[in-house]
Amino acid sequence: MELKGKKVLVVGLGKSGLAAALFLRRRGAQVTVSDIRSAEALAKDIPALLEEGINVEAGGHGLLTFRRQDLIVVSPGVPLDTPELVQARNFGRPVIGELELAARFLKGKILAVTGSNGKTTTTSLLGEILEKAGMPTLVGGNIGVPVVALIDESTDATWSVLEVSSFQLESTEQFHPTIAVILNITPDHLDRHGSFENYALAKERIFAEQDEDDYAVLNADNVRAASSAKRSKARVYWFSLEHPVEQGAWVEGGGILFRSGPEAAPETVMALSSIPLKGEHNVENVLAAVCAARLAGASPESVRTAVERFKAVEHRLEYVATLNGVEIYNDSKATNVDATAKAIAAFPGNIHLILGGKDKNSDYTELSDLLRSRVKAVYTIGSAAAKIESQLRGVVSIHSCETLDKAVSAIAAAAHPGDVVLLAPACSSFDQFESYEHRGRVFKELVNEWRGWKVWQNV
């Protein structure tokens, strides 16, 4: 892909947009960045862009700006049906995402992980397994490091382990992982994709360019993910909590087993008791990682050692503190109903649950059974609070708190020894916070403040 002298527009100046703009400029492109946010909101990034000779359009998108380009690169947070992008495509302008741009330059092999939940934990774990196995490994994508930032470090021997979202996958064309993992597909981002089926089809783009020499690793226990197998040209491997699989990884007799093919003898990789992560959903993540890592060539010993040493990723069922007998966990990454259900299921009961944020067209009634059996009270925050309260009224005690600090304060007055405090909002963070990471950090800061002020008196 020749970029020198080409006019390229980057739409959206998030982390990946900034990285894409700088990469394109280094490759000789004439780069413009367009963002709907004001110049003041972009103040920290604009000087660096201007210094590199990159034009910046802030405070909105100009139609002429879009028409004058040879190529348009879209950040994941920008919907493809944005009017300016629709018109640009109608004028024949090619539109791709940052992931697709990076894929055309990245060297080595790609191991890509997607799913509604568990992506970051599984991607991080796979990175550590392959490193332990002595393989040159890079980790990035939706996990925080833009894929374009990995290009210069990649070699023909590199494994790039990438977390990829539906937002990234929907704008791919030639993205071609050697190993593609779909952890699960449950309703999420319906506000962006319009329907569950559209969302699922976006996930399936992870294996769209694979062939019979590649591998697709799918969850045999998730109906929609399992149904993807019939649309894959790759060799399909499975992972399952519930039953043995012909080829792949499963749980049996207190251990994790792997079988490389229908005629191969199963090998015991590790004991379930040696997995340090909390929750059944994390056993699923480990199963997926075991399967993908063995296919990549990592030894069972490397897999076992890496898993045993793995620590929970920040904001994913992250232990925060125990205050006077009350355990506190931060699962700010639980941005959909299924993730919240899995977080609740990780505890036997006595949970004080914080729900809310920006609604994603979710159905919170799906939590009802778990709330009845395990949750003492729900504390709602954010713009989705009214919808959550209306859907869960009569199911569980609900306290309308509006903001996270008020929720923590209310829980501090109500919790008793043996209780669990859980931030697992089932919503995105963008009504009150910059990101789920920001929300999780604020939660932990509030917990530390409460600890310092000793207000958990009743516990």
Side-chain angles (χ1 to χ4, degrees):
M1 186 181 194
E2 181 56 53
L3 294 171
K4 190 171 183 179
K6 294 289 179 67
K7 295 178 181 177
V8 184
L9 175 67
V10 176
V11 186
L13 193 57
K15 190 180 295 185
S16 63
L18 178 62
L22 294 173
F23 168 78
L24 290 160
R25 187 72 189 106
R26 289 196 302 270
R27 295 287 173 130
Q30 300 175 41
V31 182
T32 300
V33 171
S34 180
D35 198 293
I36 61 172
R37 290 174 293 172
S38 67
E40 290 76 18
L42 303 173
K44 72 180 191 307
D45 295 320
I46 288 178
L49 293 168
L50 295 177
E51 190 173 319
E52 293 291 331
I54 296 171
N55 299 314
V56 179
E57 177 183 71
H61 301 315
L63 287 174
L64 286 178
T65 304
F66 281 63
R67 291 185 199 174
R68 291 168 176 165
Q69 309 302 320
D70 298 312
L71 173 68
I72 298 174
V73 177
V74 186
S75 296
V78 179
L80 294 180
D81 60 0
T82 296
E84 294 83 1
L85 290 174
V86 172
Q87 187 170 104
R89 284 196 297 272
N90 289 339
F91 275 88
R93 305 296 183 265
V95 177
I96 63 173
E98 177 262 340
L99 175 63
E100 175 65 23
L101 173 68
R104 299 188 184 188
F105 294 91
L106 201 62
K107 297 177 182 177
K109 295 180 179 179
I110 294 173
L111 196 171
V113 179
T114 197
S116 302
N117 299 300
K119 297 186 294 296
T120 300
T121 295
T122 306
T123 302
S124 301
L125 178 55
L126 275 164
E128 294 194 15
I129 292 172
L130 298 194
E131 286 181 3
K132 181 65 181 175
M135 302 178 185
T137 306
L138 300 171
V139 179
N142 197 51
I143 198 168
V145 179
V147 185
V148 291
L150 305 179
I151 292 170
D152 291 342
E153 296 181 68
S154 66
T155 69
D156 291 340
T158 300
W159 274 98
S160 292
V161 183
L162 308 179
E163 175 187 331
V164 294
S165 69
S166 60
F167 293 0
Q168 293 171 303
L169 288 167
E170 67 180 351
S171 57
T172 55
E173 295 174 359
Q174 300 174 23
F175 177 61
H176 185 168
T178 300
I179 303 173
V181 181
I182 300 182
L183 296 169
N184 43 64
I185 305 177
T186 59
D188 197 8
H189 301 299
L190 303 187
D191 53 337
R192 165 85 170 245
H193 293 290
S195 71
F196 176 55
E197 188 58 21
N198 287 343
Y199 168 65
L201 291 172
K203 290 292 190 189
E204 288 183 355
R205 291 195 62 76
I206 194 172
F207 55 61
E209 293 301 308
Q210 287 189 308
D211 56 36
E212 60 275 5
D213 293 326
D214 301 313
Y215 302 98
V217 177
L218 305 177
N219 187 341
D221 305 333
N222 179 268
V223 174
R224 188 59 183 81
S227 73
S228 299
K230 60 181 176 286
R231 287 177 287 278
S232 173
K233 298 175 186 174
R235 288 172 281 179
V236 175
Y237 279 70
W238 302 96
F239 62 94
S240 175
L241 276 171
E242 299 176 1
H243 55 78
V245 295
E246 189 174 63
Q247 51 190 33
W250 71 96
V251 172
E252 185 176 309
I256 290 180
L257 280 66
F258 174 79
R259 180 159 47 205
S260 59
E263 307 302 322
E267 63 184 37
T268 299
V269 179
M270 63 186 301
L272 283 175
S273 59
S274 61
I275 297 174
L277 303 174
K278 197 173 187 68
E280 192 175 72
H281 64 291
N282 274 320
V283 178
E284 280 192 329
N285 295 336
V286 171
L287 284 168
V290 166
C291 187
R294 292 291 287 119
L295 293 173
S299 68
E301 294 75 24
S302 299
V303 173
R304 182 167 54 252
T305 301
V307 173
E308 290 174 348
R309 295 178 179 176
F310 188 73
K311 294 188 182 344
V313 180
E314 188 179 17
H315 312 300
R316 282 92 177 164
L317 213 56
E318 174 193 10
Y319 171 74
V320 178
T322 298
L323 302 180
N324 298 320
V326 178
E327 292 187 357
I328 304 165
Y329 289 85
N330 164 33
D331 199 2
S332 184
K333 184 63 170 67
T335 59
N336 59 56
V337 169
D338 186 58
T340 296
K342 289 176 177 176
I344 296 169
F347 303 94
N350 298 326
I351 300 170
H352 296 264
L353 176 66
I354 301 174
L355 286 179
K358 185 175 183 291
D359 181 50
K360 297 156 81 175
N361 198 21
S362 300
D363 181 1
Y364 303 99
T365 63
E366 294 177 6
L367 296 172
S368 296
D369 289 344
L370 277 168
L371 294 177
R372 287 190 188 97
S373 61
R374 304 192 185 209
V375 174
K376 276 189 166 183
V378 164
Y379 304 78
T380 60
I381 63 173
S383 60
K387 178 179 177 180
I388 292 170
E389 291 162 16
S390 68
Q391 291 190 350
L392 299 179
R393 189 172 291 115
V395 174
V396 65
S397 174
I398 301 176
H399 304 274
S400 181
C401 297
E402 298 180 350
T403 60
L404 192 54
D405 60 328
K406 290 180 182 177
V408 172
S409 178
I411 295 170
H416 294 275
D419 288 353
V420 171
V421 178
L422 176 62
L423 171 67
C427 295
S428 75
S429 58
F430 300 121
D431 58 337
Q432 296 180 336
F433 302 95
E434 296 174 6
S435 62
Y436 73 81
E437 294 98 335
H438 179 212
R439 178 170 60 191
R441 288 194 300 270
V442 170
F443 176 66
K444 291 190 287 184
E445 289 167 3
L446 288 167
V447 168
N448 286 325
E449 288 175 6
W450 290 127
R451 188 190 319 189
W453 296 340
K454 298 183 179 178
V455 300
W456 298 75
Q457 301 265 332
N458 66 318
V459 298

Short mmCIF file of all heavy atoms in Angstrom, two decimals, residues 232-288:
data_model
loop_
_atom_site.label_atom_id
_atom_site.label_comp_id
_atom_site.label_asym_id
_atom_site.label_seq_id
_atom_site.Cartn_x
_atom_site.Cartn_y
_atom_site.Cartn_z
N SER A 232 -16.98 -20.34 8.50
CA SER A 232 -15.53 -20.21 8.52
C SER A 232 -14.87 -21.20 7.56
O SER A 232 -15.25 -22.37 7.49
CB SER A 232 -15.00 -20.46 9.94
OG SER A 232 -13.59 -20.50 9.94
N LYS A 233 -13.88 -20.71 6.82
CA LYS A 233 -13.09 -21.58 5.93
C LYS A 233 -11.91 -22.20 6.67
O LYS A 233 -11.26 -23.10 6.15
CB LYS A 233 -12.58 -20.77 4.74
CG LYS A 233 -13.66 -20.17 3.85
CD LYS A 233 -13.03 -19.30 2.78
CE LYS A 233 -14.10 -18.56 1.97
NZ LYS A 233 -13.48 -17.60 1.01
N ALA A 234 -11.62 -21.70 7.87
CA ALA A 234 -10.47 -22.16 8.62
C ALA A 234 -10.75 -23.49 9.31
O ALA A 234 -11.91 -23.96 9.35
CB ALA A 234 -10.08 -21.11 9.66
N ARG A 235 -9.71 -24.10 9.85
CA ARG A 235 -9.87 -25.31 10.67
C ARG A 235 -10.44 -24.87 12.02
O ARG A 235 -9.82 -24.07 12.71
CB ARG A 235 -8.53 -26.01 10.85
CG ARG A 235 -8.04 -26.70 9.59
CD ARG A 235 -6.63 -27.20 9.74
NE ARG A 235 -5.66 -26.12 9.58
CZ ARG A 235 -4.34 -26.28 9.67
NH1 ARG A 235 -3.84 -27.48 9.96
NH2 ARG A 235 -3.53 -25.26 9.49
N VAL A 236 -11.59 -25.40 12.38
CA VAL A 236 -12.27 -24.96 13.60
C VAL A 236 -11.85 -25.81 14.79
O VAL A 236 -11.90 -27.05 14.75
CB VAL A 236 -13.80 -25.03 13.43
CG1 VAL A 236 -14.51 -24.70 14.75
CG2 VAL A 236 -14.26 -24.06 12.33
N TYR A 237 -11.42 -25.14 15.85
CA TYR A 237 -11.14 -25.77 17.14
C TYR A 237 -12.10 -25.18 18.16
O TYR A 237 -12.56 -24.05 18.02
CB TYR A 237 -9.69 -25.52 17.56
CG TYR A 237 -8.72 -26.47 16.90
CD1 TYR A 237 -8.45 -26.37 15.54
CD2 TYR A 237 -8.09 -27.47 17.62
CE1 TYR A 237 -7.57 -27.26 14.91
CE2 TYR A 237 -7.20 -28.35 17.01
CZ TYR A 237 -6.96 -28.24 15.67
OH TYR A 237 -6.09 -29.13 15.06
N TRP A 238 -12.39 -25.97 19.19
CA TRP A 238 -13.42 -25.60 20.15
C TRP A 238 -12.87 -25.49 21.56
O TRP A 238 -11.83 -26.10 21.87
CB TRP A 238 -14.54 -26.64 20.16
CG TRP A 238 -15.19 -26.87 18.84
CD1 TRP A 238 -14.89 -27.84 17.92
CD2 TRP A 238 -16.24 -26.09 18.26
NE1 TRP A 238 -15.69 -27.71 16.82
CE2 TRP A 238 -16.54 -26.65 17.00
CE3 TRP A 238 -16.98 -24.98 18.69
CZ2 TRP A 238 -17.52 -26.15 16.17
CZ3 TRP A 238 -17.96 -24.47 17.86
CH2 TRP A 238 -18.22 -25.05 16.61
N PHE A 239 -13.56 -24.76 22.42
CA PHE A 239 -13.32 -24.85 23.85
C PHE A 239 -14.68 -24.94 24.54
O PHE A 239 -15.67 -24.38 24.07
CB PHE A 239 -12.48 -23.69 24.39
CG PHE A 239 -13.09 -22.33 24.24
CD1 PHE A 239 -13.83 -21.77 25.29
CD2 PHE A 239 -12.92 -21.58 23.08
CE1 PHE A 239 -14.38 -20.50 25.17
CE2 PHE A 239 -13.47 -20.31 22.95
CZ PHE A 239 -14.20 -19.77 24.00
N SER A 240 -14.72 -25.69 25.65
CA SER A 240 -15.99 -25.93 26.32
C SER A 240 -15.81 -26.19 27.82
O SER A 240 -14.91 -26.94 28.22
CB SER A 240 -16.70 -27.14 25.69
OG SER A 240 -17.88 -27.46 26.42
N LEU A 241 -16.68 -25.57 28.60
CA LEU A 241 -16.78 -25.87 30.02
C LEU A 241 -17.64 -27.10 30.27
O LEU A 241 -17.57 -27.72 31.33
CB LEU A 241 -17.44 -24.69 30.77
CG LEU A 241 -16.59 -23.51 31.19
CD1 LEU A 241 -17.49 -22.40 31.70
CD2 LEU A 241 -15.60 -23.92 32.27
N GLU A 242 -18.48 -27.45 29.30
CA GLU A 242 -19.57 -28.40 29.55
C GLU A 242 -19.32 -29.81 29.05
O GLU A 242 -19.90 -30.77 29.58
CB GLU A 242 -20.85 -27.85 28.91
CG GLU A 242 -21.28 -26.51 29.49
CD GLU A 242 -22.49 -25.92 28.79
OE1 GLU A 242 -23.01 -26.57 27.85
OE2 GLU A 242 -22.92 -24.82 29.17
N HIS A 243 -18.47 -29.98 28.03
CA HIS A 243 -18.32 -31.33 27.47
C HIS A 243 -17.00 -31.43 26.70
O HIS A 243 -16.44 -30.41 26.26
CB HIS A 243 -19.49 -31.66 26.55
CG HIS A 243 -19.70 -30.66 25.45
ND1 HIS A 243 -18.94 -30.62 24.31
CD2 HIS A 243 -20.59 -29.65 25.34
CE1 HIS A 243 -19.35 -29.62 23.53
NE2 HIS A 243 -20.36 -29.02 24.14
N PRO A 244 -16.50 -32.67 26.48
CA PRO A 244 -15.30 -32.85 25.66
C PRO A 244 -15.55 -32.40 24.22
O PRO A 244 -16.69 -32.42 23.75
CB PRO A 244 -15.04 -34.36 25.73
CG PRO A 244 -15.75 -34.82 26.95
CD PRO A 244 -16.97 -33.93 27.07
N VAL A 245 -14.50 -31.99 23.54
CA VAL A 245 -14.60 -31.57 22.14
C VAL A 245 -13.67 -32.43 21.29
O VAL A 245 -12.69 -32.98 21.78
CB VAL A 245 -14.26 -30.07 21.97
CG1 VAL A 245 -15.28 -29.21 22.69
CG2 VAL A 245 -12.86 -29.75 22.47
N GLU A 246 -14.01 -32.52 20.03
CA GLU A 246 -13.23 -33.37 19.12
C GLU A 246 -11.80 -32.86 18.98
O GLU A 246 -10.84 -33.63 18.96
CB GLU A 246 -13.92 -33.42 17.75
CG GLU A 246 -13.33 -34.42 16.80
CD GLU A 246 -14.13 -34.52 15.51
OE1 GLU A 246 -14.21 -33.51 14.77
OE2 GLU A 246 -14.69 -35.60 15.25
N GLN A 247 -11.69 -31.55 18.87
CA GLN A 247 -10.36 -30.93 18.84
C GLN A 247 -10.45 -29.56 19.50
O GLN A 247 -11.31 -28.76 19.16
CB GLN A 247 -9.80 -30.83 17.42
CG GLN A 247 -10.71 -30.20 16.39
CD GLN A 247 -10.17 -30.38 14.98
OE1 GLN A 247 -9.54 -31.39 14.66
NE2 GLN A 247 -10.42 -29.40 14.13
N GLY A 248 -9.57 -29.35 20.49
CA GLY A 248 -9.61 -28.11 21.25
C GLY A 248 -9.40 -28.37 22.73
O GLY A 248 -8.73 -29.34 23.11
N ALA A 249 -9.98 -27.51 23.59
CA ALA A 249 -9.75 -27.58 25.03
C ALA A 249 -11.07 -27.70 25.78
O ALA A 249 -12.07 -27.11 25.38
CB ALA A 249 -9.00 -26.33 25.49
N TRP A 250 -11.06 -28.45 26.87
CA TRP A 250 -12.27 -28.61 27.67
C TRP A 250 -11.90 -28.94 29.12
O TRP A 250 -10.74 -29.18 29.44
CB TRP A 250 -13.18 -29.68 27.07
CG TRP A 250 -12.71 -31.10 27.21
CD1 TRP A 250 -13.06 -32.00 28.18
CD2 TRP A 250 -11.80 -31.80 26.34
NE1 TRP A 250 -12.43 -33.21 27.97
CE2 TRP A 250 -11.66 -33.11 26.85
CE3 TRP A 250 -11.09 -31.44 25.19
CZ2 TRP A 250 -10.83 -34.07 26.24
CZ3 TRP A 250 -10.28 -32.38 24.58
CH2 TRP A 250 -10.15 -33.67 25.11
N VAL A 251 -12.93 -28.94 29.97
CA VAL A 251 -12.76 -29.24 31.39
C VAL A 251 -13.22 -30.67 31.65
O VAL A 251 -14.31 -31.07 31.22
CB VAL A 251 -13.57 -28.26 32.26
CG1 VAL A 251 -13.56 -28.70 33.73
CG2 VAL A 251 -13.01 -26.85 32.14
N GLU A 252 -12.39 -31.40 32.37
CA GLU A 252 -12.77 -32.77 32.74
C GLU A 252 -11.96 -33.22 33.95
O GLU A 252 -10.74 -33.01 34.00
CB GLU A 252 -12.51 -33.73 31.57
CG GLU A 252 -12.99 -35.14 31.80
CD GLU A 252 -12.78 -36.03 30.57
OE1 GLU A 252 -13.20 -35.64 29.46
OE2 GLU A 252 -12.17 -37.11 30.74
N GLY A 253 -12.65 -33.80 34.94
CA GLY A 253 -11.97 -34.36 36.09
C GLY A 253 -11.09 -33.38 36.86
O GLY A 253 -10.01 -33.74 37.33
N GLY A 254 -11.56 -32.13 36.95
CA GLY A 254 -10.80 -31.14 37.71
C GLY A 254 -9.59 -30.57 36.98
O GLY A 254 -8.75 -29.89 37.59
N GLY A 255 -9.51 -30.82 35.68
CA GLY A 255 -8.38 -30.30 34.92
C GLY A 255 -8.80 -29.75 33.57
O GLY A 255 -9.95 -29.90 33.14
N ILE A 256 -7.86 -29.10 32.89
CA ILE A 256 -8.06 -28.61 31.53
C ILE A 256 -7.31 -29.52 30.58
O ILE A 256 -6.09 -29.73 30.73
CB ILE A 256 -7.60 -27.16 31.38
CG1 ILE A 256 -8.54 -26.23 32.14
CG2 ILE A 256 -7.52 -26.76 29.91
CD1 ILE A 256 -8.18 -24.76 32.06
N LEU A 257 -8.03 -30.07 29.62
CA LEU A 257 -7.43 -30.98 28.64
C LEU A 257 -7.42 -30.32 27.27
O LEU A 257 -8.27 -29.47 26.96
CB LEU A 257 -8.22 -32.29 28.58
CG LEU A 257 -7.95 -33.34 29.66
CD1 LEU A 257 -8.39 -32.85 31.03
CD2 LEU A 257 -8.66 -34.66 29.32
N PHE A 258 -6.46 -30.76 26.43
CA PHE A 258 -6.38 -30.28 25.05
C PHE A 258 -6.15 -31.46 24.13
O PHE A 258 -5.37 -32.37 24.45
CB PHE A 258 -5.23 -29.27 24.89
CG PHE A 258 -5.01 -28.84 23.47
CD1 PHE A 258 -5.83 -27.89 22.87
CD2 PHE A 258 -4.00 -29.41 22.70
CE1 PHE A 258 -5.64 -27.49 21.55
CE2 PHE A 258 -3.79 -29.03 21.38
CZ PHE A 258 -4.62 -28.06 20.80
N ARG A 259 -6.84 -31.44 23.00
CA ARG A 259 -6.64 -32.48 21.99
C ARG A 259 -6.40 -31.80 20.65
O ARG A 259 -7.19 -30.96 20.22
CB ARG A 259 -7.87 -33.39 21.93
CG ARG A 259 -7.76 -34.51 20.91
CD ARG A 259 -8.72 -35.66 21.20
NE ARG A 259 -10.08 -35.22 21.49
CZ ARG A 259 -10.93 -35.94 22.22
NH1 ARG A 259 -10.56 -37.09 22.75
NH2 ARG A 259 -12.16 -35.50 22.41
N SER A 260 -5.33 -32.17 19.98
CA SER A 260 -4.93 -31.49 18.75
C SER A 260 -5.72 -31.94 17.53
O SER A 260 -5.72 -31.26 16.50
CB SER A 260 -3.44 -31.72 18.48
OG SER A 260 -3.16 -33.11 18.36
N GLY A 261 -6.42 -33.07 17.63
CA GLY A 261 -7.22 -33.54 16.51
C GLY A 261 -8.06 -34.73 16.92
O GLY A 261 -7.87 -35.30 18.00
N PRO A 262 -9.00 -35.15 16.07
CA PRO A 262 -9.92 -36.22 16.41
C PRO A 262 -9.24 -37.54 16.79
O PRO A 262 -9.74 -38.30 17.61
CB PRO A 262 -10.77 -36.39 15.15
CG PRO A 262 -10.64 -35.09 14.43
CD PRO A 262 -9.27 -34.58 14.74
N GLU A 263 -8.08 -37.80 16.19
CA GLU A 263 -7.39 -39.07 16.45
C GLU A 263 -6.32 -38.94 17.53
O GLU A 263 -5.72 -39.95 17.92
CB GLU A 263 -6.73 -39.56 15.15
CG GLU A 263 -7.68 -39.67 13.95
CD GLU A 263 -8.85 -40.59 14.23
OE1 GLU A 263 -8.66 -41.63 14.90
OE2 GLU A 263 -9.98 -40.25 13.81
N ALA A 264 -6.07 -37.72 18.00
CA ALA A 264 -4.99 -37.51 18.97
C ALA A 264 -5.45 -37.84 20.38
O ALA A 264 -6.64 -37.73 20.72
CB ALA A 264 -4.53 -36.06 18.91
N ALA A 265 -4.50 -38.25 21.21
CA ALA A 265 -4.80 -38.51 22.62
C ALA A 265 -4.89 -37.19 23.36
O ALA A 265 -4.10 -36.27 23.12
CB ALA A 265 -3.71 -39.38 23.23
N PRO A 266 -5.86 -37.04 24.29
CA PRO A 266 -5.95 -35.80 25.07
C PRO A 266 -4.73 -35.64 25.98
O PRO A 266 -4.18 -36.62 26.48
CB PRO A 266 -7.22 -36.01 25.90
CG PRO A 266 -7.97 -37.11 25.24
CD PRO A 266 -6.94 -37.98 24.61
N GLU A 267 -4.32 -34.41 26.17
CA GLU A 267 -3.23 -34.10 27.10
C GLU A 267 -3.79 -33.24 28.23
O GLU A 267 -4.62 -32.36 27.99
CB GLU A 267 -2.10 -33.36 26.40
CG GLU A 267 -2.52 -32.01 25.84
CD GLU A 267 -1.42 -31.30 25.05
OE1 GLU A 267 -0.66 -31.98 24.34
OE2 GLU A 267 -1.34 -30.06 25.14
N THR A 268 -3.38 -33.50 29.46
CA THR A 268 -3.79 -32.66 30.57
C THR A 268 -2.83 -31.48 30.66
O THR A 268 -1.62 -31.67 30.85
CB THR A 268 -3.78 -33.45 31.89
OG1 THR A 268 -4.70 -34.53 31.79
CG2 THR A 268 -4.19 -32.56 33.05
N VAL A 269 -3.36 -30.28 30.51
CA VAL A 269 -2.51 -29.08 30.50
C VAL A 269 -2.29 -28.56 31.92
O VAL A 269 -1.17 -28.22 32.30
CB VAL A 269 -3.14 -27.98 29.62
CG1 VAL A 269 -2.29 -26.72 29.63
CG2 VAL A 269 -3.32 -28.48 28.20
N MET A 270 -3.35 -28.51 32.72
CA MET A 270 -3.23 -27.97 34.06
C MET A 270 -4.46 -28.30 34.89
O MET A 270 -5.51 -28.68 34.34
CB MET A 270 -3.03 -26.46 34.01
CG MET A 270 -4.21 -25.70 33.41
SD MET A 270 -3.88 -23.94 33.21
CE MET A 270 -3.54 -23.49 34.90
N ALA A 271 -4.34 -28.14 36.20
CA ALA A 271 -5.47 -28.34 37.11
C ALA A 271 -6.29 -27.07 37.20
O ALA A 271 -5.74 -25.96 37.17
CB ALA A 271 -4.97 -28.74 38.49
N LEU A 272 -7.60 -27.22 37.31
CA LEU A 272 -8.47 -26.05 37.48
C LEU A 272 -8.09 -25.27 38.73
O LEU A 272 -8.18 -24.04 38.76
CB LEU A 272 -9.93 -26.50 37.60
CG LEU A 272 -10.65 -26.89 36.31
CD1 LEU A 272 -12.05 -27.40 36.65
CD2 LEU A 272 -10.74 -25.73 35.35
N SER A 273 -7.67 -25.97 39.77
CA SER A 273 -7.35 -25.32 41.04
C SER A 273 -6.16 -24.38 40.95
O SER A 273 -5.97 -23.54 41.83
CB SER A 273 -7.07 -26.38 42.12
OG SER A 273 -5.99 -27.22 41.72
N SER A 274 -5.36 -24.48 39.88
CA SER A 274 -4.19 -23.61 39.75
C SER A 274 -4.49 -22.33 38.98
O SER A 274 -3.61 -21.50 38.79
CB SER A 274 -3.05 -24.36 39.08
OG SER A 274 -3.42 -24.78 37.78
N ILE A 275 -5.76 -22.16 38.54
CA ILE A 275 -6.14 -20.91 37.87
C ILE A 275 -6.36 -19.84 38.94
O ILE A 275 -7.21 -20.00 39.82
CB ILE A 275 -7.43 -21.10 37.04
CG1 ILE A 275 -7.19 -22.12 35.92
CG2 ILE A 275 -7.88 -19.77 36.44
CD1 ILE A 275 -8.45 -22.47 35.14
N PRO A 276 -5.64 -18.73 38.90
CA PRO A 276 -5.73 -17.73 39.96
C PRO A 276 -6.90 -16.75 39.82
O PRO A 276 -7.15 -15.96 40.72
CB PRO A 276 -4.40 -16.99 39.84
CG PRO A 276 -4.05 -17.07 38.40
CD PRO A 276 -4.58 -18.40 37.93
N LEU A 277 -7.60 -16.79 38.71
CA LEU A 277 -8.65 -15.82 38.43
C LEU A 277 -10.00 -16.27 38.99
O LEU A 277 -10.31 -17.46 38.99
CB LEU A 277 -8.77 -15.59 36.92
CG LEU A 277 -7.50 -15.12 36.22
CD1 LEU A 277 -7.72 -15.07 34.72
CD2 LEU A 277 -7.06 -13.77 36.75
N LYS A 278 -10.80 -15.31 39.43
CA LYS A 278 -12.10 -15.59 40.04
C LYS A 278 -13.17 -15.70 38.96
O LYS A 278 -13.18 -14.95 38.00
CB LYS A 278 -12.43 -14.44 41.00
CG LYS A 278 -13.52 -14.76 42.01
CD LYS A 278 -13.64 -13.61 43.00
CE LYS A 278 -14.59 -13.92 44.13
NZ LYS A 278 -14.11 -14.96 45.03
N GLY A 279 -14.10 -16.65 39.13
CA GLY A 279 -15.27 -16.73 38.26
C GLY A 279 -15.16 -17.78 37.17
O GLY A 279 -14.10 -18.01 36.60
N GLU A 280 -16.31 -18.42 36.90
CA GLU A 280 -16.37 -19.44 35.85
C GLU A 280 -16.05 -18.87 34.48
O GLU A 280 -15.47 -19.54 33.62
CB GLU A 280 -17.78 -20.06 35.85
CG GLU A 280 -17.90 -21.31 35.03
CD GLU A 280 -19.26 -21.95 35.17
OE1 GLU A 280 -20.25 -21.39 34.62
OE2 GLU A 280 -19.38 -23.00 35.83
N HIS A 281 -16.43 -17.61 34.26
CA HIS A 281 -16.14 -17.00 32.95
C HIS A 281 -14.64 -16.93 32.69
O HIS A 281 -14.21 -16.98 31.54
CB HIS A 281 -16.77 -15.61 32.85
CG HIS A 281 -16.24 -14.61 33.83
ND1 HIS A 281 -16.46 -14.69 35.18
CD2 HIS A 281 -15.46 -13.51 33.64
CE1 HIS A 281 -15.87 -13.67 35.78
NE2 HIS A 281 -15.26 -12.95 34.87
N ASN A 282 -13.85 -16.79 33.75
CA ASN A 282 -12.40 -16.76 33.56
C ASN A 282 -11.84 -18.15 33.25
O ASN A 282 -10.78 -18.25 32.62
CB ASN A 282 -11.71 -16.15 34.78
CG ASN A 282 -11.66 -14.64 34.69
OD1 ASN A 282 -11.43 -14.07 33.63
ND2 ASN A 282 -11.90 -13.97 35.80
N VAL A 283 -12.53 -19.21 33.67
CA VAL A 283 -12.13 -20.55 33.23
C VAL A 283 -12.33 -20.66 31.72
O VAL A 283 -11.49 -21.22 31.00
CB VAL A 283 -12.94 -21.64 33.97
CG1 VAL A 283 -12.54 -23.03 33.46
CG2 VAL A 283 -12.72 -21.54 35.47
N GLU A 284 -13.44 -20.10 31.23
CA GLU A 284 -13.65 -20.06 29.77
C GLU A 284 -12.52 -19.31 29.07
O GLU A 284 -12.02 -19.76 28.02
CB GLU A 284 -14.97 -19.37 29.44
CG GLU A 284 -16.19 -20.23 29.58
CD GLU A 284 -17.42 -19.58 28.95
OE1 GLU A 284 -17.50 -18.34 28.95
OE2 GLU A 284 -18.28 -20.32 28.47
N ASN A 285 -12.11 -18.17 29.63
CA ASN A 285 -11.02 -17.41 29.03
C ASN A 285 -9.73 -18.22 28.99
O ASN A 285 -8.99 -18.19 28.00
CB ASN A 285 -10.80 -16.11 29.81
CG ASN A 285 -11.98 -15.17 29.74
OD1 ASN A 285 -12.78 -15.24 28.81
ND2 ASN A 285 -12.11 -14.30 30.73
N VAL A 286 -9.46 -18.96 30.07
CA VAL A 286 -8.27 -19.80 30.11
C VAL A 286 -8.36 -20.91 29.08
O VAL A 286 -7.38 -21.22 28.39
CB VAL A 286 -8.04 -20.36 31.53
CG1 VAL A 286 -6.93 -21.41 31.53
CG2 VAL A 286 -7.68 -19.23 32.50
N LEU A 287 -9.52 -21.53 28.95
CA LEU A 287 -9.71 -22.58 27.95
C LEU A 287 -9.40 -22.06 26.54
O LEU A 287 -8.70 -22.72 25.75
CB LEU A 287 -11.15 -23.10 27.99
CG LEU A 287 -11.52 -24.04 29.13
CD1 LEU A 287 -13.04 -24.22 29.18
CD2 LEU A 287 -10.84 -25.39 28.96
N ALA A 288 -9.93 -20.88 26.23
CA ALA A 288 -9.67 -20.28 24.90
C ALA A 288 -8.18 -20.02 24.72
O ALA A 288 -7.63 -20.28 23.63
CB ALA A 288 -10.46 -18.99 24.76
#
